[in-house]
């Protein structure tokens, strides 16, 4: 297998939240563009941005104003801009944004664009928290994307979004569906979950024999001030070792080369996906003879 060069971008909010969602999106795109170009010039092959990258994390509020931040995927303007970047730099890009599926139906979504600019599909966040400071069910409908894996030019890519990471079955579903590299764009603050940041995703990488790219935004967002978004985006290998990590408090592009030979090496050593191991995971994800099934096939069977 080849070495794959990954890129992760973490970013602070670039406009006050009393501005319109459209003004905020413009400011965030202007701030991201130089780092996206830097990634392309550095030879990044798979780039991922943070959760709802072009807006604040507005879920501490329950303000209908933020519905105006949603756009169609892939028909909306943000995906079109990212397709141009992808074509220009031959770089696959994961674009997390707020999706309007139809009037009044909204998802926390990541669009996946291949290195030729082709739209490959999307993942919609499955697990939606509804706790103090994180009133996400006011804004997002739970996705039913069946854990798709995207065959990009460079790798088989899976996406899991923020709160999803607390649920191990999704990591396993993505791996059984063929993912080699899984990205987890997030918006998470210091406090209760910070000690889990460097625990859960390395454990998921080991359990599933995959590389994981974990992305978190940085800074404090007024007027909600629910805490500090602590950055520290990182790449973790299939042994659970963090190979590269970004700063806690700065806008940053993190670039790292992933040795995909480690995937085969680790899976051959630990044999977690051997027939018996698959049977012990989840009967919805394996067939009667122990072979992995795509989630949508499992639902029909």
């Amino acid at each position: 297998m080849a070495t794959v060069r990954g890129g992760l971008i973490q970013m602070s909010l670039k406009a006050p939240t009393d501005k319109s969602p459209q003004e905020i999106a413009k400011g965030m795109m202007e701030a991201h563009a130089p780092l996206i170009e830097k990634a392309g010039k550095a030879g990044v092959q798979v780039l991922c941005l943070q959760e709802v990258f072009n807006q604040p994390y507005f879920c501490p509020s329950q303000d209908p104003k933020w519905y105006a931040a949603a756009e169609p995927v892939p028909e909306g303007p943000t995906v079109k801009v990212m397709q141009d970047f992808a074509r220009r730099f031959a770089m696959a890009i994961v674009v997390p944004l707020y999706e309007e599926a139809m009037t009044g139906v909204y998802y926390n979504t990541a669009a996946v664009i291949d290195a030729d600019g082709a739209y490959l599909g999307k993942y919609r966040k499955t697990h939606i928290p509804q706790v103090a400071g994180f009133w996400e069910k006011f804004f997002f409908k739970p996705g039913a994307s069946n854990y798709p894996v995207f065959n990009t030019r460079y790798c088989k890519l899976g996406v899991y979004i923020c709160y999803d990471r607390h649920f191990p079955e999704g990591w396993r579903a993505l791996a059984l569906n063929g993912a080699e590299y899984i990205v987890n764009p997030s918006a998470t603050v210091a406090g209760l979950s910070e000690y889990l940041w460097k625990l859960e995703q390395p454990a998921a990488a080991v359990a599933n024999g995959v590389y994981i790219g974990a992305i978190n935004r940085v800074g404090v967002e007024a007027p909600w001030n629910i805490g500090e978004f602590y950055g520290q985006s990182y790449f973790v290998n299939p042994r659970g070792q963090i190979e590269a990590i970004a700063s806690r408090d700065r806008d940053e592009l993190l670039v790292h080369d992933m040795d995909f030979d480690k995937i085969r090496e680790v899976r051959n050593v630990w044999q977690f996906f051997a027939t018996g191991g698959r049977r012990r995971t989840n009967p919805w994800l394996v067939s009667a003879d122990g072979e992995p099934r795509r989630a949508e096939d499992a639902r029909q069977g």
Side-chain angles (χ1 to χ4, degrees):
M1 276 190 155
T3 296
V4 174
R5 180 164 294 181
L8 311 174
I9 293 178
Q10 60 181 41
M11 181 74 64
S12 59
L13 185 63
K14 300 306 179 190
T17 55
D18 59 0
K19 297 287 188 181
S20 71
Q22 290 71 30
E23 291 173 303
I24 294 171
K26 182 175 183 291
M28 290 297 280
M29 184 63 77
E30 289 173 351
H32 276 83
L35 291 184
I36 296 170
E37 291 189 359
K38 183 178 178 181
K41 291 174 182 177
V44 167
Q45 295 168 305
V46 182
L47 178 66
C48 186
L49 313 181
Q50 64 200 21
E51 182 181 18
V52 191
F53 86 97
N54 60 353
Q55 294 294 327
Y57 180 75
F58 43 72
C59 299
S61 79
Q62 295 187 65
D63 186 345
K65 161 187 174 176
W66 299 108
Y67 293 141
E71 60 185 89
V73 175
E75 300 85 2
T78 302
V79 171
K80 301 301 182 188
V81 170
M82 292 298 173
Q83 286 178 302
D84 289 340
F85 277 121
R87 279 189 291 266
R88 178 180 169 192
F89 294 110
M91 180 170 61
I93 307 178
V94 180
V95 187
L97 73 171
Y98 193 18
E99 178 193 5
E100 181 181 64
M102 60 180 289
T103 302
V105 178
Y106 307 102
Y107 292 96
N108 187 331
T109 295
V112 179
I113 301 166
D114 207 357
D116 61 356
Y119 169 72
L120 296 182
K122 58 193 168 190
Y123 169 74
R124 290 167 168 167
K125 185 174 181 177
T126 303
H127 305 93
I128 309 297
Q130 185 73 357
V131 297
F134 300 84
W135 306 116
E136 293 199 9
K137 290 184 179 179
F138 186 85
F139 296 103
F140 309 133
K141 182 177 179 179
S145 300
N146 297 324
Y147 304 109
V149 171
F150 304 96
N151 290 314
T152 73
R153 180 181 299 180
Y154 305 111
C155 67
K156 295 178 180 177
L157 178 66
V159 183
Y160 218 27
I161 298 177
C162 198
Y163 194 71
D164 283 334
R165 70 181 182 273
H166 303 307
F167 299 85
E169 59 272 19
W171 297 110
R172 178 53 54 93
L174 287 165
L176 287 177
N177 284 344
E180 300 161 322
Y181 176 41
I182 304 172
V183 291
N184 181 235
S186 297
T188 188
V189 295
L192 182 63
S193 72
E194 185 172 359
Y195 83 99
L196 295 173
W197 181 245
K198 298 176 186 175
L199 174 65
E200 287 178 311
Q201 292 166 117
V206 171
N208 296 289
V210 294
Y211 269 93
I212 292 174
I215 310 95
N216 188 23
R217 63 178 60 206
V218 295
V220 176
E221 297 181 355
W224 309 298
N225 301 317
I226 60 170
E228 176 195 10
F229 294 99
Y230 51 81
Q232 300 177 87
S233 304
Y234 64 82
F235 292 92
V236 58
N237 69 28
R239 296 192 185 104
Q241 298 164 324
I242 294 175
E243 295 186 338
I245 188 166
S247 64
R248 183 186 182 90
D249 57 1
R250 296 192 305 274
D251 296 349
E252 192 168 341
L253 164 69
L254 182 67
V255 177
H256 182 65
D257 289 339
M258 296 175 280
D259 178 6
F260 273 31
D261 285 336
K262 288 182 181 176
I263 298 171
R264 180 177 295 277
E265 176 187 322
V266 168
R267 290 185 182 184
N268 284 349
V269 168
W270 287 106
Q271 289 292 310
F272 292 150
F273 287 178
T275 300
R278 286 200 294 265
R279 281 203 180 105
R280 286 192 293 271
T281 56
N282 185 337
W284 281 60
L285 299 175
V286 292
S287 62
D289 61 359
E291 291 303 311
R293 293 192 290 177
R294 297 188 67 83
E296 56 267 32
D297 297 331
R299 291 183 187 279
Q300 293 170 7

